[in-house]
Amino acid sequence: MADIHLNHPGLSQAIDDMMRATGQMSNAMQQLMQGLVPFEQTFEADGSRPQWDAFKLAVAQADEQMQNSFGKGALALSDMQHIHIDSDRRSTNILGG
């Protein structure tokens, strides 16, 4: 059987990076939307308010979906890492190490 080595510090860092990137992307989207707020009166004046509202809703939904997806992905990676660590410990105990 082949030996498998999992770089736990690297995986932990990847999980942290994934969560940090999720927050950064969400913050960037929030900043973008805040930057557009001054133009809302223009959308009201030219009759494009419904499209603006639809755009804001789509952005909010996409942001929520991204956070959920990345959050679930990071959680799944973390769970896999802990399963691997627990399995290694059990194997070591069985082998008397």
Side-chain angles (χ1 to χ4, degrees):
M1 182 174 359
D3 288 337
I4 298 173
H5 174 73
L6 182 61
N7 179 346
H8 290 286
L11 181 56
S12 294
Q13 184 63 51
I15 293 166
D16 291 344
D17 290 348
M18 192 174 191
M19 294 305 293
R20 188 172 21 266
T22 302
Q24 290 171 340
M25 288 186 287
S26 183
N27 288 340
M29 187 60 69
Q30 296 294 328
Q31 288 175 354
L32 171 67
M33 294 307 292
Q34 287 299 318
L36 294 174
V37 166
F39 300 102
E40 283 190 14
Q41 291 176 345
T42 303
F43 301 134
E44 193 73 47
D46 72 5
S48 60
R49 182 62 186 224
Q51 291 84 359
W52 169 245
D53 290 340
F55 174 73
K56 287 193 308 185
L57 179 61
V59 167
Q61 290 171 340
D63 185 50
E64 182 179 347
Q65 182 179 8
M66 183 261 315
Q67 288 185 44
N68 287 338
S69 295
F70 273 75
K72 287 178 183 175
L75 181 60
L77 283 175
S78 180
D79 287 347
M80 285 187 267
Q81 180 183 31
H82 288 106
I83 289 168
H84 192 273
I85 290 169
D86 291 343
S87 177
D88 284 350
R89 285 185 187 139
R90 282 193 302 273
S91 296
T92 299
N93 289 339
I94 289 171
L95 297 174

